[in-house]
């Protein structure tokens, strides 16, 4: 990534951001948009049409004369039809996008059935649906985006997986979430190994102050785990999404991480 005059920017970039309509994804889009150079394309994916459209309108307005193009793809990545819709959009838009750089941020994800213990997870459909959304869709979006953008002389390609401490550490009642995050980390480590020209980062954003964290402290089945999350909130230890998003951009700007590495908010 090259530095430009004034604030650091991606020159002529294509950025794909999933889970953009709320929480960390929404904050990241707001922090990222001003960093995309003239003529860049920001492609926002989410299943909630109205908040996605509102965010896009906001970013287009804030962009002023920067020439940033913001496009929305409304797709439920938890179902095959939704993934196909997203894949088709990437195949259509990315080849015609600017050639400077590609940034893919796999942010979309869900907690799963955190009220259930391991022995309660008996429904194959529920389990397969969880991994289809949280693992398979990220793989499909990433491979499609990389292939659609292609290997362009002088361009850079970066893939970010929004990870979690749960990719490394088990949490009671969080069998699906922990295993999904661990699978994604390993999946992107393989990408880093196979494609040395692609920069890959597994970024754990820390305990964010989001609706997902509210679910964690109210719906987790294990009482000790539930209390742990409640204590984080009551002691003011939850992290503002914008603060964590800025740390991620700082990591990408420095660009010194080992490709495929797992980097936590508290490591930066």
């Amino acid at each position: 990534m090259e530095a430009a005059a004034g604030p650091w920017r991606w020159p002529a970039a294509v950025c794909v951001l999933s889970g953009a309509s709320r929480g960390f994804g929404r904050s990241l889009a707001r922090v990222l948009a001003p960093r995309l150079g003239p003529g860049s394309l920001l492609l926002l994916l989410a299943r909630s049409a109205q908040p996605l459209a509102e965010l896009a309108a906001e970013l287009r307005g804030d962009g002023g004369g920067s020439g940033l193009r913001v496009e929305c793809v409304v797709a439920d990545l938890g179902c095959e039809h939704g993934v196909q819709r997203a894949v088709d959009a990437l195949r259509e838009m990315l080849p015609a996008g600017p050639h400077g750089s590609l940034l893919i941020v796999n942010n979309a994800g869900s907690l799963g059935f955190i009220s259930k213990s391991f022995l309660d997870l008996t429904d194959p459909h529920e389990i397969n649906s969880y991994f289809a959304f949280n693992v398979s869709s990220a793989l499909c979006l990433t491979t499609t985006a990389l292939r659609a953008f292609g290997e362009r002389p002088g361009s850079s390609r970066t893939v970010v997986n929004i990870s979690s401490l749960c990719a490394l550490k088990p949490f009671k009642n969080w069998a699906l979430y922990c295993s999904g995050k661990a699978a994604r980390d390993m999946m992107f480590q393989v990408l880093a190994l196979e494609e040395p020209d692609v920069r890959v980062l597994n970024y754990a954003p820390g305990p964010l102050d989001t609706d997902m964290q509210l679910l964690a402290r109210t719906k987790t089945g294990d009482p000790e785990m539930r209390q742990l999350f409640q204590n984080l909130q009551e002691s003011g230890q939850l992290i503002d999404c914008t603060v964590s998003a800025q740390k991620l951009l700082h990591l990408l700007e420095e660009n010194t991480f080992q490709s495929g590495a797992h980097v936590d908010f508290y490591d930066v």
Side-chain angles (χ1 to χ4, degrees):
M1 299 169 192
E2 301 172 0
W8 168 80
R9 287 186 172 189
W10 276 277
V14 175
C15 178
V16 180
L17 172 60
S18 68
S21 64
R22 60 179 181 171
F24 184 71
R26 193 176 187 89
S27 295
L28 181 57
R30 287 171 169 156
V31 172
L32 179 61
R35 296 291 193 176
L36 299 176
S40 293
L41 167 63
L42 176 56
L43 185 57
L44 306 173
L45 287 80
R47 61 184 174 186
S48 303
Q50 183 173 341
L52 195 64
E54 291 170 354
L55 174 62
E58 172 192 326
L59 298 180
R60 291 178 188 126
D62 290 347
S66 69
L68 174 63
R69 176 186 169 198
V70 183
E71 299 289 346
C72 298
V73 177
V74 179
D76 181 357
L77 299 179
C79 67
E80 191 172 333
H81 174 75
V83 174
Q84 188 62 54
R85 179 183 177 86
V87 163
D88 290 344
L90 294 178
R91 287 173 176 162
E92 178 183 349
M93 295 183 193
L94 266 60
H99 290 200
S101 55
L102 172 67
L103 173 65
I104 308 165
V105 183
N106 290 286
N107 171 66
S110 63
L111 279 178
F113 307 99
I114 57 174
S115 63
K116 295 183 177 183
S117 69
F118 188 100
L119 295 182
D120 293 327
L121 297 171
T122 58
D123 186 333
H125 176 72
E126 285 184 349
I127 296 167
N128 290 336
S129 294
Y130 181 83
F131 287 111
F133 175 42
N134 288 277
V135 180
S136 302
S137 70
L139 175 58
C140 290
L141 290 182
T142 303
T143 54
T144 299
L146 287 172
R147 292 172 70 91
F149 186 82
E151 297 183 38
R152 306 177 183 186
S155 67
S156 65
R157 296 178 294 166
T158 304
V159 176
V160 177
N161 167 44
I162 301 305
S163 185
S164 169
L165 173 63
C166 295
L168 309 177
K169 180 179 178 180
F171 283 55
K172 290 180 181 178
N173 284 117
W174 286 34
L176 293 180
Y177 188 79
C178 289
S179 54
K181 287 297 186 183
R184 273 172 55 153
D185 264 35
M186 182 55 70
M187 184 170 74
F188 287 107
Q189 286 181 52
V190 172
L191 171 63
L193 193 63
E194 290 184 355
E195 300 291 337
D197 292 334
V198 177
R199 298 287 285 147
V200 181
L201 174 64
N202 292 302
Y203 175 67
L208 300 174
D209 190 6
T210 61
D211 291 342
M212 186 177 285
Q213 217 286 333
L214 174 61
L215 288 174
R217 63 180 182 264
T218 57
K219 302 298 184 182
T220 299
D222 182 76
E224 291 183 3
M225 288 299 304
R226 197 165 58 245
Q227 187 61 52
L228 172 65
F229 294 122
Q230 290 171 2
N231 291 344
L232 286 174
Q233 191 268 336
E234 292 167 0
S235 61
Q237 295 184 62
L238 296 182
I239 299 166
D240 182 88
C241 288
T242 299
V243 173
S244 187
Q246 289 169 339
K247 275 205 175 183
L248 171 56
L249 289 193
H250 176 70
L251 272 170
L252 296 176
E253 177 182 3
E254 285 195 326
N255 199 24
T256 57
F257 57 87
Q258 181 179 346
S259 189
H262 176 105
V263 180
D264 192 275
F265 173 88
Y266 294 108
D267 297 333
V268 184

